[in-house]
Amino acid sequence: MPPARPGRRLLAAADALVNRLYGSSLNPLYQSGTIAVALLLVLLATGLWLVFFYRIGAPWASVGRITADPWIGRWMRGVHRYGSDAAVVATLVHATRIIVQRRTWGPRVLAWVSGLVLLGLLLVCGVTGFVLVWDTFGRALAVEGARILDALPILSEPVSRTFVGERPVPGTFFFLTLFIHIAVPLGMGAALWLHVSRLARPTVLPPKRLTWTVVALLVVAAMAAPLGMDPQGNAFALPP
């Protein structure tokens, strides 16, 4: 038995179950790719709002002020965070569907490769977003990323020296991280164009009803489980 057949049976069973619940036109499994694009637009909108209040010279404190605002800041940051998590999940569901249906070869190679590029760029956005908060988790990510860069024959000076605590982390580091966090989504637009360029009638966004349902769920999640703040990143303290 080919290994793809059990996967196709599971996918067909999941599609049938979700179709009974929501109907084929609003089936999120069918719309996982377009849902990821809609979530990217949500991230762009909330990210543009957040960047106005982010301070490169005081990253952790500025994010703390945003989080302390119960009217707009806290739930806006929550929508941004939960939206990024949901975008990764939607992208992985979409990729899994493509793999199970064996649509990665032939005329679909360009769509598959550009989709992998989009997933990689999305992960870069997620990592840089965590680092920008500069809590214990963000600092740990930065340290591990510096170790990976040091292992590659790219830079003459080890990057990990920036985080040993001999001197404060320079503002240029946060400026560069913020620049990457903002610039990468713009580059994703070109990759998305390649992703759908071979389709005769590409559908980029899900139906409006499904789009607003996703947005409403993000807002509800941000209000029901508001984000907090971990301790500030400190070179002289091990994260819990």
Side-chain angles (χ1 to χ4, degrees):
M1 179 182 293
R5 287 185 179 177
R8 290 185 179 182
R9 290 198 186 101
L10 289 174
L11 182 62
D15 287 341
L17 176 62
V18 179
N19 281 337
R20 294 192 191 98
L21 296 175
Y22 304 106
S24 59
S25 61
L26 298 178
N27 187 335
L29 298 180
Y30 292 157
Q31 302 286 344
S32 55
T34 58
I35 288 175
V37 177
L39 289 169
L40 178 60
L41 295 179
V42 172
L43 295 177
L44 287 173
T46 54
L48 287 175
W49 187 92
L50 291 170
V51 77
F52 282 113
F53 301 94
Y54 185 78
R55 298 294 177 264
I56 294 174
W60 185 83
S62 61
V63 176
R65 285 192 294 269
I66 293 172
T67 307
D69 178 12
W71 298 105
I72 299 179
R74 184 178 302 170
W75 70 265
M76 189 72 75
R77 182 187 168 217
V79 169
H80 192 74
R81 166 66 183 280
Y82 294 138
S84 63
D85 295 340
V88 173
V89 172
T91 303
L92 292 177
V93 170
H94 182 63
T96 301
R97 189 177 193 86
I98 297 300
I99 293 173
V100 171
Q101 294 178 342
R102 295 184 176 182
R103 293 188 292 164
T104 59
W105 301 104
R108 301 180 185 273
V109 169
L110 180 61
W112 174 247
V113 174
S114 59
L116 293 178
V117 172
L118 283 168
L119 176 59
L121 294 176
L122 183 62
L123 295 177
V124 170
C125 288
V127 171
T128 53
F130 280 117
V131 172
L132 285 172
V133 180
W134 204 241
D135 54 7
T136 52
F137 180 67
R139 184 187 177 278
L141 278 180
V143 171
E144 294 304 319
R147 289 177 180 174
I148 294 174
L149 290 177
D150 291 344
L152 301 175
I154 300 176
L155 303 174
S156 58
E157 295 292 333
V159 183
S160 56
R161 289 182 180 177
T162 307
F163 311 109
V164 296
E166 294 179 352
R167 61 182 65 89
V169 179
T172 53
F173 167 76
F174 295 105
F175 175 80
L176 180 60
T177 305
L178 181 62
F179 176 81
I180 294 173
H181 190 66
I182 296 175
V184 167
L186 300 179
M188 292 177 70
L192 180 61
W193 177 81
L194 287 174
H195 190 63
V196 300
S197 60
R198 293 292 184 88
L199 300 178
R201 295 179 179 179
T203 301
V204 180
L205 294 174
K208 290 183 178 180
R209 183 178 174 184
L210 184 57
T211 300
W212 288 115
T213 300
V214 170
V215 173
L217 289 175
L218 289 176
V219 174
V220 170
M223 292 182 172
L227 297 179
M229 289 290 295
D230 289 337
Q232 185 175 2
N234 187 349
F236 302 103
L238 291 176

